[in-house]
Amino acid sequence: MSSSTSTVFSVPPSPAPSRSSLPDVSDDKTTFILPDIIDYCPFELKVNPYYKSASAESDAWFDSFEIHKGAKYTEFHRAKFGLLTAMSYPEASYTHLRNCCDFMSWLFAFDDLTDDGGLRENVEGSKKAAWIMMQALKYPKTFKTEFKVGETLRSFWERACETASEGTQRRFIETTQLYVDAICKQVVNRRHEEIPTIETFVQLRRDTSAVKLVFALVEYSLNLDLPDEVFEDPMIQSLEEGANDILTWANDMYSFNVEQSKGDTQNLVVIAMNELGLDVQGAVDYVGDMIRQRIDRYVMEKHCLPSWGEEVDAQVAKYVEGLEGWVIGVLHWSFDSERYFGAEHERIKKDLIVTLLPVDTSMLPPPDSTIVEDEVPEDELYQEEGEKQSAEPAVAAAAPSPMVVLADEKPTSPSWSSLLPSSPTSYLTIASVLFPPVLAISLRFFDLC
């Protein structure tokens, strides 16, 4: 499920990534006002009728892994991830909704570990955790791990594979790989105190947000089986990217206050402050304008979808509605839980006035505090840019391998056709290299005759 790389907003020429710390908010006003994105967004909010029972069953399942205890347990459940799931997958059956609730608990548990938990600046631990996640997806029936968050993903995915189409499984695995790689890159940025540019961060955020994963589960939740050509269509890709940007940028805006209080620089509002020299209100307004422009473009592009025939078009319409359900669901859930605005979430949803929290990183765990005990192959771990360049000759010499392993199939050698060049240009290049010596040999042969 690839996406284009165009942006829909104007940014100044991108400077080099900054190595400064969080922009100083001490001179800003003690409050800022959020733009009313919910009012501007034209999508309809729905809530799955199986919400309470599916959420309760899923919570009991997640608690059985004993990942959170004490205050962290209370904080995690106050976030109402079951409500978010019900708002985002409103048309799912009970079984599909229950499994999606399980997925959501895994996602936020892993997100917490990498955002403000023991993997926050733990580069090596994050690489190992990423490898474990991918093994859990590729071999859900046989892979076992002591890493509890990884085991929750494996358990969810084993059950989801029973009804998910092959295309859905493949897309979910592909997008999870993009997600965990982007998370590792974000941990590197955080460890090196690097603040990326707006444009660079927007590209990275499309993967760290995990939105591509949840869009793959839109297919699953609706029991769709769309052909690959739908997801290869530029307009579908643009709608996916647009929905991703809208809810991701809104999430950065809503979570900004909590994240800046923890000294986190990997947030679009912080990056706008750093790059454009804006105060908090100016940066929040800037991000709000980006979101409105993105909504406008999405609505316009929605009317330009091609047709694949009546049967496929009906499934595409459901899928697109599912994208929009996720957008409006996240917007409402952000104010309907305590995750971003605490006990004042209902009041803030009405007047949109937020009081800046003081910066306090004293409660964060030290770097490298989460130990991933599983034995993992070092050569299969995520590599940073410098490592990738030094490893290129070895990678180039390695035999090709399948991109995805579904269920518990063993890796097989690729077919001969997969080794051929994928574009006409490649064939022309090969011909230009081979033709002269072949011609010379042929002429020499005729001379001898």
Side-chain angles (χ1 to χ4, degrees):
M1 196 184 301
S2 62
S3 60
S4 60
T5 58
S6 60
T7 53
V8 296
F9 54 93
S10 298
V11 297
S14 297
S18 169
R19 293 181 62 83
S20 63
S21 58
L22 183 76
D24 185 13
V25 299
S26 58
D27 293 331
D28 284 307
K29 297 179 180 179
T30 57
T31 61
F32 62 93
I33 302 174
L34 294 168
D36 193 348
I37 301 301
I38 290 179
D39 184 65
Y40 193 83
C41 187
F43 309 143
E44 180 184 0
L45 175 68
K46 299 178 183 178
V47 181
N48 194 298
Y50 302 119
Y51 154 52
K52 290 186 178 180
S53 52
S55 179
E57 187 176 324
S58 178
D59 285 347
W61 164 84
F62 184 78
D63 291 345
S64 69
F65 292 90
E66 299 182 341
I67 292 173
H68 297 312
K69 297 179 181 179
K72 185 61 182 177
Y73 174 91
T74 302
E75 178 187 347
F76 190 83
H77 285 288
R78 280 180 177 172
K80 299 180 181 178
F81 298 125
L83 176 61
L84 171 60
T85 310
M87 289 177 167
S88 303
Y89 301 110
E91 304 295 337
S93 67
Y94 181 87
T95 300
H96 284 142
L97 180 66
R98 158 63 210 280
N99 286 340
C100 287
C101 286
D102 293 353
F103 160 78
M104 205 69 70
S105 291
W106 163 77
L107 178 60
F108 279 95
F110 186 58
D111 180 71
D112 285 348
L113 265 180
T114 57
D115 266 1
D116 52 28
L119 297 179
R120 173 185 168 90
E121 297 180 12
N122 185 344
V123 177
E124 292 306 313
S126 296
K127 292 178 181 180
K128 291 181 178 180
W131 182 87
I132 289 170
M133 300 309 172
M134 296 312 302
Q135 297 305 300
L137 295 185
K138 292 177 180 179
Y139 307 105
K141 293 182 180 179
T142 56
F143 180 71
K144 300 297 180 183
T145 174
E146 297 298 319
F147 188 42
K148 292 181 179 180
V149 176
E151 182 59 20
T152 62
L153 177 62
R154 188 210 61 78
S155 173
F156 146 74
W157 188 238
E158 182 179 13
R159 285 174 281 116
C161 286
E162 294 174 1
T163 56
S165 70
E166 183 176 315
T168 297
Q169 292 182 47
R170 185 178 68 254
R171 280 183 280 275
F172 186 82
I173 293 174
E174 290 171 354
T175 53
T176 301
Q177 184 71 71
L178 294 173
Y179 167 63
V180 296
D181 284 352
I183 286 294
C184 288
K185 173 60 178 173
Q186 182 169 271
V187 171
V188 170
N189 287 347
R190 197 177 279 125
R191 184 63 183 257
H192 295 166
E193 296 184 347
E194 182 174 288
I195 304 179
T197 64
I198 294 173
E199 190 167 1
T200 299
F201 184 73
V202 164
Q203 301 297 331
L204 180 67
R205 194 73 174 94
R206 287 171 181 155
D207 291 323
T208 62
S209 65
V211 169
K212 294 177 181 179
L213 284 71
V214 302
F215 286 173
L217 285 190
V218 167
E219 289 183 79
Y220 167 76
S221 73
L222 297 173
N223 207 27
L224 302 178
D225 189 10
L226 287 163
D228 288 344
E229 64 184 282
V230 170
F231 295 99
E232 293 165 0
D233 181 79
M235 290 310 302
I236 287 291
Q237 293 176 356
S238 188
L239 288 181
E240 290 174 331
E241 186 177 277
N244 189 338
D245 288 344
I246 294 165
L247 70 87
T248 299
W249 300 346
N251 176 262
D252 273 20
M253 189 169 60
Y254 296 150
S255 64
F256 159 73
N257 198 28
V258 172
E259 292 182 353
Q260 66 83 25
S261 73
K262 298 174 181 178
D264 195 346
T265 60
Q266 304 302 301
N267 180 287
L268 186 56
V269 175
V270 175
I271 291 167
M273 292 175 66
N274 185 70
E275 182 172 329
L276 305 178
L278 300 171
D279 61 10
V280 171
Q281 188 62 64
V284 168
D285 291 342
Y286 178 83
V287 174
D289 288 341
M290 288 173 58
I291 296 170
R292 292 189 186 96
Q293 291 178 41
R294 205 59 169 110
I295 291 174
D296 292 343
R297 177 178 168 182
Y298 178 97
V299 172
M300 177 183 67
E301 291 181 339
K302 183 180 174 181
H303 298 291
C304 301
L305 282 173
S307 174
W308 291 272
E310 185 176 349
E311 182 178 347
V312 174
D313 286 355
Q315 290 194 64
V316 169
K318 290 182 178 179
Y319 178 71
V320 171
E321 185 179 349
L323 303 182
E324 296 167 2
W326 247 99
V327 171
I328 195 65
V330 166
L331 295 182
H332 278 276
W333 167 80
S334 298
F335 294 99
D336 292 343
S337 84
E338 297 186 15
R339 185 166 176 85
Y340 303 128
F341 302 114
E344 292 193 310
H345 64 97
E346 293 181 354
R347 192 267 305 163
I348 293 174
K349 188 173 186 179
K350 294 177 181 177
D351 63 25
L352 301 174
I353 300 174
V354 182
T355 301
L356 268 174
L357 296 170
V359 177
D360 180 13
T361 60
S362 62
M363 298 301 292
L364 292 176
D368 306 325
S369 64
T370 293
I371 306 300
V372 182
E373 298 179 348
D374 294 50
E375 293 293 330
V376 302
E378 295 293 326
D379 60 339
E380 293 187 23
L381 298 184
Y382 166 85
Q383 294 180 325
E384 298 175 44
E385 292 302 319
E387 296 173 322
K388 287 181 181 178
Q389 293 175 2
S390 63
E392 277 180 2
V395 172
S401 61
M403 178 174 59
V404 173
V405 179
L406 295 178
D408 281 320
E409 298 175 4
K410 297 301 180 184
T412 57
S413 299
S415 63
W416 67 269
S417 60
S418 67
L419 304 178
L420 297 177
S422 58
S423 67
T425 306
S426 301
Y427 285 102
L428 292 174
T429 302
I430 294 172
S432 66
V433 173
L434 295 180
F435 183 76
V438 170
L439 178 62
I441 293 172
S442 301
L443 292 175
R444 179 60 178 163
F445 173 80
F446 286 119
D447 287 341
L448 293 175
C449 293

